[in-house]
Amino acid sequence: MAAFILRKQKFSTKNLLCIVIIGLLYLILAQRNAPRYSNNDLRPSSRNNSHSNWPFNIPQQYDQQYLHEWNEPIKVNVSNPSDRGEGGSAFYPRLDEKELMKKLRKEHNYNAFASEKISMRRSLPDYRFPECRSLIYPNKLPTATVIIVVHNEIWATLLRTVWSIIDRSPRELIDEIIIVDDASTWTHLKQPLDDYVKTLPANIKIMRTEKREGLIRARLKGANVAKGNILVFLDAHIECTDGWLPPLLSRIAWNRSVVAVPLIDNIGIEDMKYRTLPVNMNGIHWTLIFDWSPLPQREIIRTKHDRTAPIRTPTHIGCAFAMDREFFFEIGSYDEGMDIWGTENLELAVRTWMCGGSLEILPCSRVAHLFRSSTYSFDGNKNEIKVRNNNRFIQVWMDDFKDYIYAAFPKWKSIPTGDLTERINLRKKLQCKSFRWYLENIYPESAWLKPFITMGTIRNGLHNICLDAYTMTVSQALIPYTCHGEGGAQFFAFTVHGQMMTWRLSCVGIQGKSVVLVSCNEDDKYQQWDYNKEKHWIVHRESSLCMRKNQTGIVLDTCNQSDIEMKWEIVSNV
């Protein structure tokens, strides 16, 4: 950037004012043509990536021909500010509405009545951090194809998703919105939807599957025909907020191997209220479901306490994210051997990191998601299908750490994965890192990096009774329960530090003389145990008392060699 050097000489006020004005104009023009971020880690030249060379066939950045000028969307307010749900507020029913609302709530696993009564174009405040509102993004960005998969979705919920995209996105940057109808049976998603989208001020295409494909393969159908440079996958029950799109596109424009994730907020299933959530990181635990976890101090330090900076996250929810279309396919798109939904988000996240890309939360992009219990039906046993998805991920990507999962859920091993040849060959072709590399470099907070001594089921005495944590609530007392051989609540992992950890990452501690679940803390001496293999005792280090089964629970008592209720056998599942 040019510098203005003022020598020690006299300037007239007029001349000095001209210099200042020229300098300001230069700065404005420079900012308009390059993104201004408060964290230098956004720039490719300073990206901390363990892959020193660009490992992909596609260029790291876009050719200028793929970039398009854009303008901020015009603010549209079409609803009555006093209507229920406006401004992201909660819906409150009238007395005569409560019975029908309760009925629909049970049928749809969320307040569908409230969703229908709230405007499809309801207003929302600008939820972004104040620092985000001052950021300036490039005046040219790549275009996006937004892909939404639908299966028997309530009319207003779906259309509120679509309208939030239209009203709060730069028109020049949305190449198309593709709605993939995955064999819906509800009539309003047939001709009425076709007719309605023709009236919308956007390029909207509807694709229909010939049979049920599930979320994963339905998304792939949309991706295969997409024209935009960037694919934006959104669930059919979300709401986009002001400024949500440019941060995602700009980040990918800087580096096409970034999978960009908005900050996910919550739409309340009881009242449809928009609730902002804190900036968290997404992790993973034994059940292979994404997990919310506080932002680690290492990431706060790396981003220099800048709330606008991208957050490196080990996994993501999967309800909203963006990635370069060519990169999506080069890195293996989705595993088409997976059915319905579930685990595909973790598989994509882990594969991206292990194979040279990155997964980042963009805090200046906010999208709210309706976290309802799934109504996504599918032919076959739902649990078996989900475990099959899990096994495909475990067998291809987790290396020796798969033993940890099967120790916690031993029956999973009996569910066949189907042919994994294509996915195994993909990993070799991309020269991906190991799962241990992923844990050590991307997810060092993972419990799987702890040095475990043994893990499995803890059986009491001569009876078919096992130590059981049932609902996994902190402060809940452990109980003796019939051994079922399925792990889960009867799974415990011993660490070298003396902790007994559950699959929910809680630990075994004490409350008085009762044995209870506590939040894990390696420095807490009251949650440290030793296993005496010779005497079959589980000894509490601090008190030197032994774990004992009584009629109703698990307690601490004076160690007694002749007491059969104090004898425990650890049955390893590894």
Side-chain angles (χ1 to χ4, degrees):
M1 182 181 292
F4 292 92
I5 303 175
L6 301 181
R7 289 183 169 82
K8 292 183 178 180
Q9 54 182 297
K10 292 183 179 180
F11 282 89
S12 68
T13 303
K14 183 177 179 180
N15 288 340
L16 186 58
L17 183 60
C18 287
I19 291 173
V20 171
I21 292 172
I22 291 171
L24 288 173
L25 287 173
Y26 187 93
L27 286 172
I28 291 170
L29 289 172
Q31 287 177 322
R32 183 58 177 157
N33 286 280
R36 194 191 85 211
Y37 294 105
S38 51
N39 189 296
N40 287 331
D41 278 349
L42 288 167
R43 303 182 183 279
S45 60
S46 62
R47 191 168 72 100
N48 181 15
N49 195 324
S50 296
H51 298 257
S52 56
N53 298 315
W54 181 251
F56 305 109
N57 295 323
I58 61 172
Q60 189 171 6
Q61 294 181 314
Y62 294 98
D63 188 277
Q64 284 294 314
Q65 65 177 312
Y66 299 116
L67 304 180
H68 300 268
E69 291 188 357
W70 59 280
N71 297 286
E72 293 287 349
I74 299 172
K75 195 81 170 178
V76 178
N77 290 312
V78 297
S79 303
N80 185 337
S82 63
D83 284 349
R84 291 178 291 181
E86 288 305 307
S89 62
F91 173 88
Y92 294 101
R94 296 190 299 267
L95 186 61
D96 61 342
E97 297 174 329
K98 289 187 176 181
E99 185 175 345
L100 179 57
M101 186 178 79
K102 184 177 179 180
K103 176 178 179 292
L104 293 175
R105 167 67 177 85
K106 186 176 181 179
E107 289 178 5
H108 298 283
N109 293 332
Y110 75 103
N111 195 336
F113 181 84
S115 181
E116 290 292 316
K117 291 296 183 180
I118 291 172
S119 170
M120 291 187 296
R121 300 179 76 179
R122 73 158 163 179
S123 60
L124 293 177
D126 188 342
Y127 292 107
R128 291 175 294 178
F129 300 129
E131 306 95 305
C132 293
R133 300 169 199 170
S134 64
L135 295 183
I136 299 174
Y137 299 98
N139 67 336
K140 288 186 176 183
L141 286 172
T143 61
T145 291
V146 179
I147 299 172
I148 303 169
V149 174
V150 177
H151 177 73
N152 289 349
E153 193 76 43
I154 289 291
W155 178 265
T157 308
L158 169 61
L159 271 300
R160 192 174 301 109
T161 297
V162 174
W163 271 117
S164 75
I165 298 166
I166 294 172
D167 285 340
R168 301 187 181 108
S169 307
R171 298 287 174 91
E172 302 88 349
L173 299 181
I174 300 290
D175 195 303
E176 59 194 346
I177 299 173
I178 298 178
I179 298 175
V180 184
D181 179 10
D182 187 21
S184 293
T185 58
W186 294 352
T187 55
H188 69 258
L189 296 173
K190 305 300 183 181
Q191 193 62 46
L193 180 62
D194 290 349
D195 294 339
Y196 186 84
V197 299
K198 291 176 183 176
T199 69
L200 299 180
N203 179 20
I204 300 180
K205 301 173 183 177
I206 297 179
M207 299 178 63
R208 289 190 167 87
T209 62
E210 296 180 0
K211 60 182 179 65
R212 288 300 309 282
E213 295 289 353
L215 175 73
I216 298 163
R217 291 193 292 272
R219 280 182 169 179
L220 276 170
K221 284 185 175 294
N224 283 327
V225 300
K227 295 180 179 178
N229 298 109
I230 292 174
L231 303 176
V232 179
F233 294 101
L234 298 177
D235 278 359
H237 34 272
I238 59 92
E239 289 183 59
C240 300
T241 68
D242 288 336
W244 76 282
L245 188 59
L248 304 178
L249 303 188
S250 182
R251 186 69 185 107
I252 296 170
W254 271 117
N255 190 313
R256 294 171 67 185
S257 70
V258 172
V259 178
V261 183
L263 188 60
I264 304 298
D265 290 326
N266 178 51
I267 302 170
I269 60 172
E270 301 298 341
D271 56 13
M272 298 299 291
K273 179 180 173 62
Y274 190 114
R275 292 176 173 86
T276 59
L277 297 180
V279 181
N280 283 313
M281 187 179 75
N282 289 142
I284 180 175
H285 56 58
W286 257 280
T287 55
L288 300 185
I289 297 175
F290 84 92
D291 196 21
W292 303 100
S293 57
L295 206 59
Q297 191 63 27
R298 63 177 175 82
E299 192 65 6
I300 295 173
I301 293 171
R302 187 190 67 80
T303 57
K304 301 179 176 66
H305 298 264
D306 180 3
R307 294 199 297 177
T308 72
I311 304 297
R312 293 175 185 166
T313 181
T315 66
H316 66 140
I317 301 169
C319 64
F321 67 96
M323 62 188 301
D324 175 84
R325 175 168 46 84
E326 291 184 85
F327 177 66
F328 174 72
F329 286 107
E330 182 174 340
I331 205 170
S333 63
Y334 277 127
D335 179 356
E336 293 190 60
M338 290 185 175
D339 286 324
I340 321 180
W341 58 270
T343 320
E344 86 287 342
N345 56 324
L346 304 183
E347 194 268 355
L348 176 64
V350 172
R351 171 163 43 92
T352 296
W353 279 116
M354 287 173 59
C355 304
S358 62
L359 183 74
E360 300 175 359
I361 295 172
L362 279 295
C364 291
S365 172
R366 302 191 83 116
V367 171
H369 180 252
L370 186 69
F371 287 95
R372 65 185 183 187
S373 298
S374 174
T375 57
Y376 212 75
S377 62
F378 205 82
D379 294 336
N381 183 292
K382 180 178 178 180
N383 291 330
E384 283 191 9
I385 291 170
K386 286 186 176 182
V387 172
R388 182 174 180 272
N389 288 356
N390 289 343
N391 280 341
R392 291 183 68 85
F393 168 68
I394 292 166
Q395 295 292 338
V396 176
W397 299 102
M398 290 193 69
D399 302 332
D400 292 342
F401 287 89
K402 65 179 180 289
D403 293 337
Y404 292 3
I405 306 298
Y406 292 139
F409 304 100
K411 289 194 173 182
W412 283 13
K413 287 192 289 187
S414 64
I415 305 298
T417 63
D419 188 2
L420 296 174
T421 304
E422 186 273 333
R423 303 309 284 182
I424 292 171
N425 288 339
L426 172 72
R427 179 173 175 178
K428 293 177 181 176
K429 175 185 174 182
L430 295 174
Q431 300 181 11
C432 303
K433 300 285 189 179
S434 68
F435 193 73
R436 177 172 290 279
W437 174 91
Y438 165 78
L439 293 178
E440 291 176 347
N441 292 274
I442 308 304
Y443 193 21
E445 294 78 20
S446 173
W448 293 331
L449 286 175
K450 290 181 179 294
F452 291 110
I453 299 172
T454 187
M455 55 181 65
T457 300
I458 302 176
R459 186 188 299 268
N460 178 256
L462 301 176
H463 310 290
N464 189 35
I465 297 296
C466 287
L467 194 63
D468 197 299
Y470 63 114
T471 62
M472 295 285 177
T473 305
V474 169
S475 296
Q476 165 198 295
L478 273 67
I479 61 169
Y481 195 79
T482 303
C483 300
H484 49 59
E486 296 182 6
Q490 294 184 358
F491 165 79
F492 298 90
F494 281 77
T495 75
V496 296
H497 300 291
Q499 290 179 301
M500 293 173 58
M501 184 174 290
T502 72
W503 63 265
R504 285 295 299 268
L505 307 184
S506 54
C507 286
V508 177
I510 62 169
Q511 194 173 77
K513 291 292 184 69
S514 296
V515 178
V516 300
L517 288 182
V518 296
S519 297
C520 294
N521 180 354
E522 286 186 358
D523 298 325
D524 181 4
K525 59 186 179 181
Y526 293 102
Q527 57 180 266
Q528 295 174 354
W529 306 82
D530 289 309
Y531 181 62
N532 187 317
K533 290 183 179 181
E534 181 182 346
K535 297 180 178 179
H536 298 281
W537 288 342
I538 299 178
V539 183
H540 186 244
R541 284 184 185 176
E542 179 64 17
S543 64
S544 297
L545 298 176
C546 282
M547 190 182 291
R548 182 181 190 277
K549 177 185 79 68
N550 63 19
Q551 292 293 329
T552 58
I554 309 296
V555 297
L556 291 181
D557 207 342
T558 303
C559 298
N560 183 349
Q561 181 64 29
S562 63
D563 190 343
I564 190 66
E565 305 296 355
M566 286 188 174
K567 294 187 179 296
W568 302 90
E569 178 187 2
I570 301 176
V571 182
S572 175
N573 295 323
V574 178

